[in-house]
Amino acid sequence: MTSTAPPLSPPRPQRPRPRGRRGAASAAWIATMAALVVVSVTVTVTIGPADIGALDVWRSIGTHLGLERLGIGPSPLSTLRDGIVWELRLPRVLAAGAVGAALAICGAVMQTLTRNPLADPYLLGLSSGASVGAVAVLVLGVGQLGLPVAAFAGALLALMITLALANRRGELAPTRTVLAGLAVSYLCSAATSFVIFWSATGDSYREILSWLLGSLSGASWADVVIVSVAVVVVGGVLLSRARTLDAFAFGDGTAATLGVDVNATRWTLLTLVALLTGAAVAVSGAIGFVGLMVPHAVRLVTGSGHRRVLPLATLTGAVFLIWADTLARTIFDPRELPVGVVTAFLGAPAFAFLLRRRKVGR
Amino acid sequence: MTAESTIVTTRPATAQAAGDDLVASGVSWSVDGALIVDGVDVSVPAGTVTGLLGPNGSGKSSLLRAVAGTTRPDTGVVTLDGQDLLAMRRRERARQVAVVEQESTADVPLTVLDVVLLGRTPHRPAPDDEQRALEALETVGMSELADRDWHTLSGGERQRVHLARAVTQQPRLLLLDEPTNHLDIHFQLTLLKFVRDLRVTTLAALHDLNLAAAYCDQLVVLAGGRVVASGTPEEVLVPDVVRAVFGVDCDVHPHPRTGRPVLTFSPLQG
């Protein structure tokens, strides 16, 4: 051997490096968005036909939470107006926030695991699958608790069909995945409409619209609890797998050589995503664009590390849907727009802007 | 040449002490009934670079994937320093073996440092991860670009970042699948020099016979999924082998500066 390469002596980088600068920036973003969630909840609860101020809202909430000793309360509102805050507006606003958070988390994880920038629960058929499950259970009349379970089953089934259609020799080509998702999505939407139309007696069109385009009207505290618990539990598990998710950036092959069990990880995490989607759809119907757009917007700010993306997407999704739903219920008051119409109107142009600014997809 | 004689005749005396020899023996892998890798024996002495040559479809990439454990071979044993690589858990194996593929791309926004830090995935998170990543970037001459958007890099820079990622993985075995594809001559030479200077046991599939001759300590030639020649570049890169495997005639000259073989090719005569 004639190699005369000198032994390697890497010079140590001497220049001071702003360590953890990105970490600090993301922490600032997360704090900002968390504050924005609180502000959004407070402000949007005051918005509506009955004129109730922010301070009164907090006093009412304080009373219900038993915080009067801390000086928050007592509620100055009449029983009726107090009921508007505590029984109608607050659950609805919180449900919107939780659903927005859930959809944003789902979108972020699906985009990573399918390596497809267009992936989200709506586009790949999970949301419509969940709708079918939910509607079927409603028709059969199996109580409140069966609803999220059936929605989860529907979402999981839709996911499996989409991925089976898209899979070719173990590869998920982006175009095939989206086409398969659209096919499943249309089929499930048709099934949802058919089941409602066939079974409903009264205003079936309104109900069809609310399942296909989403609606948070009538959200209850039970809904808030279901979705919030799902967000915390599933979101927590996904966050604990952040490094594994990061390893998918260069595809399955690279992830495998970095020690990731690609198939097991993909199925486990996508099942969790279906669970979260099911919880969200059971409460709100299928709402588009949140899961697609929020993660991309967040990545532009923080980069793609999931330890930063997942928390920030959760908060951003919450703020986004809180305001989208507030618009939906107030613009044409007393009539309500399906919230999916609002998210599409807000989301599509923003997404087009993102596409132009950066080559998100190819 | 049998596997045993390959191992015995090509191992430098120093390798015994250094440790991490790669020995793959009897590796076979088939897909849909077609035998792609057919009983291959390859050994890489510790700290040296072995080039894997062969025409398209000769099984180079499949052999690398089998050694990396990303596809499980039908038969065969792969050991690194006597440890059975294929029996290891994935994550444990990823702490021993790093892979650089040709042209692997990402769709999401990433900085150069993000990419290099992926090399820490199989390891426990540690406070000095970032320092380690920066040192790996320094090794491939890219530390100035740590904060750059990965998508703005040229092909040669990207491959160097992937190499830095592999270095950050702290492997005892480096597997490279045509790492110089689509790179201009400058980046081809610098990348392979970086690899050689790492002094990590390396098995690299290469297309360019002259690059292989210039930078590899040992060469293994595959054809139809079998080893048809192995040894030093001088032993392997001879007109008979090149004619039989690649179907071209060649003349071999000593490199005027290094003395290593340089091949010039011509079409087969009659």
Side-chain angles (χ1 to χ4, degrees):
Chain A
M1 142 168 167
T2 55
S3 164
T4 54
L8 191 67
S9 57
R12 305 284 145 153
Q14 295 300 328
R15 94 200 128 89
R17 196 187 149 72
R19 282 186 67 86
R21 194 187 54 202
R22 269 186 322 183
S26 323
W29 271 104
I30 288 172
T32 308
M33 290 312 293
L36 210 50
V37 170
V38 176
V39 171
S40 300
V41 170
T42 315
V43 173
T44 53
V45 170
T46 66
I47 296 175
D51 189 21
I52 305 170
L55 265 179
D56 293 348
V57 165
W58 276 111
R59 280 189 199 148
S60 161
I61 293 171
T63 308
H64 283 279
L65 295 178
L67 298 177
E68 287 184 40
R69 269 174 302 160
L70 300 177
I72 306 172
S75 171
L77 303 174
S78 66
T79 315
L80 177 67
R81 288 159 67 84
D82 189 67
I84 289 174
V85 170
W86 187 252
E87 298 299 333
L88 291 179
R89 288 191 193 166
L90 192 59
R92 176 167 187 163
V93 167
L94 292 180
V99 168
L103 294 176
I105 295 172
C106 290
V109 173
M110 290 182 76
Q111 283 157 17
T112 299
L113 290 178
T114 62
R115 272 197 102 205
N116 188 337
L118 293 176
D120 91 326
Y122 196 75
L123 229 64
L124 294 197
L126 273 75
S127 295
S128 351
S131 290
V132 176
V135 167
V137 160
L138 285 179
V139 168
L140 294 172
V142 187
Q144 267 279 320
L145 264 179
L147 197 62
V149 177
F152 162 59
L156 192 60
L157 193 65
L159 172 73
M160 279 159 53
I161 296 173
T162 296
L163 293 188
L165 286 175
N167 191 346
R168 178 174 275 180
R169 291 169 188 273
E171 291 220 2
L172 292 172
T175 320
R176 281 180 71 87
T177 310
V178 170
L179 288 176
L182 283 178
V184 171
S185 180
Y186 280 125
L187 182 67
C188 292
S189 299
T192 305
S193 305
F194 181 78
V195 170
I196 296 173
F197 192 81
W198 174 68
S199 67
T201 45
D203 192 357
S204 58
Y205 290 106
R206 183 185 296 270
E207 203 177 329
I208 289 173
L209 272 185
S210 75
W211 281 106
L212 296 187
L213 289 171
S215 166
L216 286 148
S217 67
S220 66
W221 279 106
D223 295 333
V224 175
V225 171
I226 288 172
V227 190
S228 304
V229 169
V231 165
V232 170
V233 173
V234 175
V237 175
L238 292 171
L239 187 61
S240 75
R241 305 295 296 276
R243 261 158 56 101
T244 306
L245 285 166
D246 290 345
F248 278 84
F250 286 92
D252 293 1
T254 303
T257 67
L258 290 172
V260 175
D261 187 340
V262 170
N263 280 322
T265 303
R266 173 149 40 229
W267 281 109
T268 313
L269 299 192
L270 283 180
T271 302
L272 287 172
V273 164
L275 190 65
L276 194 48
T277 305
V281 171
V283 165
S284 68
I287 300 174
F289 275 98
V290 183
L292 182 64
M293 202 191 58
V294 170
H296 284 301
V298 166
R299 282 193 202 100
L300 285 182
V301 173
T302 65
S304 329
H306 286 82
R307 265 184 57 196
R308 302 185 295 269
V309 166
L310 288 179
L312 200 50
T314 307
L315 298 169
T316 310
V319 171
F320 180 76
L321 201 58
I322 286 173
W323 283 104
D325 182 54
T326 303
L327 279 178
R329 69 183 164 90
T330 51
I331 295 181
F332 294 111
D333 187 56
R335 284 187 304 157
E336 271 196 23
L337 267 177
V339 65
V341 174
V342 178
T343 58
F345 267 129
L346 293 175
F351 192 65
F353 171 74
L354 287 181
L355 275 173
R356 288 195 65 83
R357 234 190 89 179
R358 186 189 281 270
K359 289 188 174 61
V360 184
R362 260 170 300 160
Chain B
M1 194 182 284
T2 67
E4 288 72 23
S5 71
T6 306
I7 293 166
V8 171
T9 56
T10 60
R11 180 183 291 173
T14 54
Q16 302 289 356
D20 304 342
D21 306 68
L22 170 73
V23 179
S25 49
V27 176
S28 294
W29 182 69
S30 56
V31 60
D32 298 338
L35 203 53
I36 308 296
V37 179
D38 183 3
V40 168
D41 300 304
V42 173
S43 71
V44 183
T48 66
V49 179
T50 292
L52 202 52
L53 303 176
N56 294 331
S58 57
K60 301 188 296 288
S61 297
S62 302
L63 176 63
L64 283 179
R65 279 199 293 272
V67 172
T70 42
T71 52
R72 190 154 288 274
D74 302 330
T75 64
V77 177
V78 181
T79 61
L80 183 64
D81 193 19
Q83 285 178 287
D84 187 345
L85 276 184
L86 301 180
M88 277 180 198
R89 295 172 60 85
R90 262 169 240 272
R91 198 163 153 193
E92 178 57 27
R93 191 166 53 227
R95 291 179 189 156
Q96 318 274 337
V97 184
V99 182
V100 176
E101 292 152 296
Q102 50 173 316
E103 280 196 283
S104 84
T105 62
D107 286 330
V108 288
L110 291 162
T111 66
V112 167
L113 189 60
D114 285 332
V115 177
V116 178
L117 277 170
L118 287 179
R120 299 309 296 166
T121 306
H123 298 273
R124 229 173 263 288
D128 63 344
D129 281 350
E130 191 168 311
Q131 186 62 26
R132 223 185 272 281
L134 287 169
E135 282 172 19
L137 277 175
E138 192 81 33
T139 309
V140 299
M142 298 269 302
S143 58
E144 295 302 313
L145 302 181
D147 294 323
R148 271 271 292 278
D149 180 354
W150 188 83
H151 296 270
T152 64
L153 301 183
S154 71
E157 289 168 335
R158 288 179 182 194
Q159 281 304 60
R160 277 153 75 190
V161 172
H162 277 305
L163 185 62
R165 188 258 301 157
V167 169
T168 308
Q169 215 169 325
Q170 291 185 292
R172 294 156 64 210
L173 172 65
L174 192 56
L175 300 174
L176 310 174
D177 193 358
E178 298 184 7
T180 54
N181 258 19
H182 307 297
L183 302 193
D184 64 36
I185 184 67
H186 171 75
F187 280 126
Q188 290 181 4
L189 299 190
T190 47
L191 188 87
L192 289 176
K193 183 181 180 320
F194 285 134
V195 168
R196 202 178 54 184
D197 290 352
L198 289 174
R199 308 249 173 223
V200 173
T201 309
T202 301
L203 181 60
L206 293 169
H207 250 310
D208 188 315
L209 304 189
N210 283 314
L211 276 181
Y215 288 95
C216 297
D217 302 301
Q218 308 286 328
L219 297 178
V220 173
V221 182
L222 291 184
R226 293 166 179 268
V227 176
V228 292
S230 68
T232 64
E234 290 79 2
E235 290 166 354
V236 169
L237 295 176
V238 293
D240 283 351
V241 171
V242 172
R243 190 182 308 118
V245 173
F246 293 97
V248 293
D249 269 326
C250 76
D251 298 284
V252 182
H253 323 273
H255 191 287
R257 297 194 191 178
T258 64
R260 286 178 168 245
V262 174
L263 281 66
T264 51
F265 305 100
S266 30
L268 277 187
Q269 297 300 312

